[in-house]
């Protein structure tokens, strides 16, 4: 729920009534109205073209093959051959789990340039309304921004509201990898903001990357701003159910399983992003060491043990976050279950001192960001617990007990 920085005027009674009304709507109209009709997109067209492509007289491997299979395929090619594929099938390669990271960056840069041309034409297309032309202009400028400098775009899909992921740091050489999973109203145009920059995925990830470097300068880290799932739009039916989270969980697991190397991975899940992480948890590989949630409406379980993950589960919420007024329950698929910061949930509850509102957790100078950074570099003994008794550090042992010297 990234863009909802001010509290909606909800009481528990009104929220329960809203849930009841939505339940009746679903019961009478069914779920089909929620699902958009599938049409070919630029990414699908690129993948289809890849599937019919050849190299050295042989078919290219399935674009959905395992990351290991695809990694072996690309390793067998010359640099010139890899570059050729990245340009000819830019969207397919740019989103291909298993393709070399640097090749994905180049492919997505090329794809962004091609999509920029499309939007530039649409800006001056007289068949579009003024609003449509303005939207084309906003997308064109977003593509230009994503192409600028030395940005590392790991995933890019221009279809619909758009999906994108960006890397900060050297992903190939990282000793620790962090993934920021944002919430509602996250798309291509809200991926980065000038005002309230730390409420958007790019600002969150850059802030976390800087804080990790400060927390442990000798630790090579990489942070991914991951907006590569279709997030719910607004506080409606989609945000009250797990429909978007289920698709997001599949994509999140695919990302983690395709990351290069064997570095531990920490997930930082904000608002509805914590629903995605909760749904994904039971299938996450063991290299995922941490799932840290902030401003969570719930993780679709009643207890942290029900997540069925070997990762440590951390949770925080600042005292001014309106999400605390949302009913923590699940009825007929509506709502997201127990409160992750409640005593009965069983997460390690962290301090969010200094954070303000629903979108302030990645602001520099807050204990919320400092805690995220300590988790990101594996310095668990240095985290600040929500209570003075240090309960969030209880039971840490071995690598989990490491703190800053």
């Amino acid at each position: 729920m990234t863009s909802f920085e001010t509290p909606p005027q909800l009481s528990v009674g009104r929220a329960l009534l809203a849930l009841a009304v939505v339940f009746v709507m679903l019961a009478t109209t069914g779920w089909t109205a929620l699902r958009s009709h599938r049409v070919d997109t630029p990414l699908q067209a690129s993948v289809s073209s890849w599937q019919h492509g050849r190299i050295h007289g042989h078919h290219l491997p399935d674009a959905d093959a395992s990351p290991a299979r695809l990694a072996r395929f690309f390793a067998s090619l010359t640099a010139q051959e890899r570059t050729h594929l990245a340009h000819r099938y830019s969207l397919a390669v740019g989103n291909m789990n298993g393709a070399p990271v640097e090749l994905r960056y180049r492919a997505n840069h090329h794809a962004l340039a091609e999509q920029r041309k499309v939007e530039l034409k649409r800006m001056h297309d007289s068949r579009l309304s003024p609003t449509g032309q303005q939207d084309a202009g906003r997308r064109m400028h977003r593509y230009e921004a994503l192409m600028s400098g030395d940005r590392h775009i790991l995933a890019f899909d221009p279809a619909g509201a758009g999906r994108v992921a960006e890397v900060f740091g050297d992903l190939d050489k990282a000793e620790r990898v962090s993934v920021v999973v944002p919430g509602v109203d996250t798309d291509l145009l809200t991926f980065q903001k000038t005002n309230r920059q730390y409420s958007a995925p790019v600002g969150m990830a850059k802030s976390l990357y800087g804080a990790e470097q400060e927390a442990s300068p000798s630790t090579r880290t990489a942070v991914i701003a991951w907006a590569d799932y279709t997030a719910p739009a607004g506080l409606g039916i989609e945000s009250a159910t797990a429909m978007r989270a289920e698709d997001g969980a599949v994509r999140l697991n695919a990302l983690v399983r395709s990351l290069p190397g064997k570095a531990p991975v920490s997930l930082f899940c904000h608002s509805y992003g914590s629903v995605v992480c909760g749904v994904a948890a039971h299938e996450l590989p063991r290299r995922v060491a941490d799932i840290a949630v902030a401003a969570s409406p719930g993780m679709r379980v009643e207890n942290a043990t029900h997540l069925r993950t070997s990762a440590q589960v951390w949770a925080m919420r600042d005292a001014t976050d309106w999400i605390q007024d949302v009913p923590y329950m699940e009825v007929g698929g509506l709502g997201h279950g127990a409160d992750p910061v409640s005593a009965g949930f069983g997460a390690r509850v962290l301090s969010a001192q200094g954070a303000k509102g629903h979108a302030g957790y990645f602001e520099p100078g807050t204990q919320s960001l400092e805690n995220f950074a300590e988790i990101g570099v594996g310095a668990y003994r240095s985290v600040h617990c929500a209570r003075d008794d240090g309960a969030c550090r209880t039971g840490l042992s071995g690598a989990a007990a490491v703190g800053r010297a």
Side-chain angles (χ1 to χ4, degrees), residues 7 31 79 98 165 177 183 188 190 205 210 222 224 252 256 259 267 272 275 345 383 400:
W31 291 93
V177 177
L188 192 70
T190 61
I224 303 174
L252 180 59
V256 174
L259 292 175
L267 305 181
Y272 190 85
V275 184
F345 189 81
V383 299

Side-chain angles (χ1 to χ4, degrees), residues 236-272:
I237 294 174
E238 288 185 345
S239 64
T241 70
M243 183 175 68
R244 293 300 186 190
E246 288 167 356
D247 175 67
V250 172
R251 300 183 68 81
L252 180 59
N253 265 296
L255 166 79
V256 174
R257 292 180 183 279
S258 71
L259 292 175
K262 298 181 179 179
V265 176
S266 299
L267 305 181
F268 297 93
C269 319
H270 179 253
S271 195
Y272 190 85

Side-chain angles (χ1 to χ4, degrees), residues 56-133:
H56 303 313
H58 300 287
H59 286 292
L60 299 173
D62 194 310
D64 292 325
S66 71
R69 166 74 178 88
L70 290 168
R72 289 193 299 270
F73 166 72
F74 283 106
S76 72
L77 305 178
T78 66
Q80 184 176 7
E81 289 168 340
R82 288 192 291 270
T83 298
H84 168 72
L85 292 177
H87 279 211
R88 184 167 184 177
Y89 311 104
S90 56
L91 279 170
V93 174
N95 291 276
M96 192 173 291
N97 291 322
V101 168
E102 292 292 335
L103 188 67
R104 290 180 67 171
Y105 297 159
R106 295 202 300 273
N108 283 319
H109 188 277
H110 187 266
L112 283 161
E114 292 300 306
Q115 291 301 311
R116 178 190 174 278
K117 295 176 184 176
V118 171
E119 298 302 332
L120 191 59
K121 290 181 180 179
R122 293 182 69 243
M123 286 174 61
H124 305 287
D125 189 340
S126 60
R127 293 170 297 179
L128 294 179
S129 68
T131 299
Q133 292 175 335

